[in-house]
Amino acid sequence: MLLDGDAWQNLFNSFEQDAFRLETQPSYSMPAEAERIARFQRGEPKPADHNAAWRKRVAEFVAAGKTIGRVRIVRRPMTEYQQYQFAWSIPGNIEAGEYVRVLDITDHDPGIPVNQDWWMLDNTTIVHLNFRPDGTQINRELIDASIESYREWKRIALETSIPYEQYLKEHGDARS
């Protein structure tokens, strides 16, 4: 079942305890981000209100006692999009209360599918985020399948990833 607009927002906003994302794409192509990415690439400073709407939502979820986070899959060298995300987006998301872990698959196979983004809501609901090869989102799809594989992939992703801050300490500047 495809989820668009209000149907997606209503489902996402209804999670009661935990929202987890496996984030796998090397880059995303979102029109709303195009100018911000261009500013990043030109070396301009990050705007103070960067990603403010998402940070506000995260802070509200956390204030309500909910957990929200993701495991970000990367391969070195990072794409320009990942560099932008690591420098401009992730720090503010963490500040707002989102946990972000990094799973670097440059030198190993973690044993989970690493080419499909998905959200798991309350360990019971899976929504695939489907993308074209250029990173443009096609749709969101509520998955009617066994949840057990996803629970196991989440467990593996969390166990084999490291916190964002630790990843930066071990691998240096995100532009590396």
Side-chain angles (χ1 to χ4, degrees), residues 110-122:
I112 62 175
V114 294
N115 58 355
Q116 175 66 61
D117 282 36
W118 45 271
W119 278 102
M120 178 185 284
L121 307 175
D122 293 325

Side-chain angles (χ1 to χ4, degrees), residues 17-152:
Q17 296 176 341
D18 179 65
F20 169 82
R21 180 171 176 181
L22 185 67
E23 190 171 38
T24 68
Q25 302 302 307
S27 65
Y28 298 93
S29 179
M30 295 178 279
E33 283 189 324
E35 178 54 32
R36 289 178 279 178
I37 292 170
R39 290 179 71 169
F40 170 77
Q41 291 169 332
R42 291 189 301 263
E44 295 178 16
K46 177 174 74 170
D49 66 345
H50 178 74
N51 215 18
W54 178 250
R55 290 191 326 258
K56 182 179 185 285
R57 286 181 75 193
V58 167
E60 289 170 353
F61 291 137
V62 171
K66 301 176 183 184
T67 302
I68 186 165
R70 68 186 72 216
V71 170
R72 180 57 164 116
I73 304 282
V74 298
R75 285 184 184 91
R76 288 176 274 121
M78 285 191 188
T79 64
E80 281 190 302
Y81 184 88
Q82 290 168 334
Q83 293 170 22
Y84 154 78
Q85 189 180 41
F86 271 52
W88 279 26
S89 297
I90 292 174
N93 294 356
I94 291 170
E95 204 173 281
E98 182 178 354
Y99 69 87
V100 178
R101 298 177 65 82
V102 181
L103 177 52
D104 190 326
I105 62 170
T106 303
D107 298 321
H108 79 284
D109 176 356
I112 62 175
V114 294
N115 58 355
Q116 175 66 61
D117 282 36
W118 45 271
W119 278 102
M120 178 185 284
L121 307 175
D122 293 325
N123 287 314
T124 61
T125 304
I126 299 297
V127 176
H128 279 189
L129 307 174
N130 299 314
F131 295 89
R132 291 187 180 96
D134 72 351
T136 303
Q137 189 173 43
I138 300 168
N139 58 36
R140 293 174 198 90
E141 181 181 8
L142 183 63
I143 300 301
D144 184 22
S146 171
I147 194 83
E148 293 310 313
S149 295
Y150 291 91
R151 288 180 181 152
E152 179 65 6

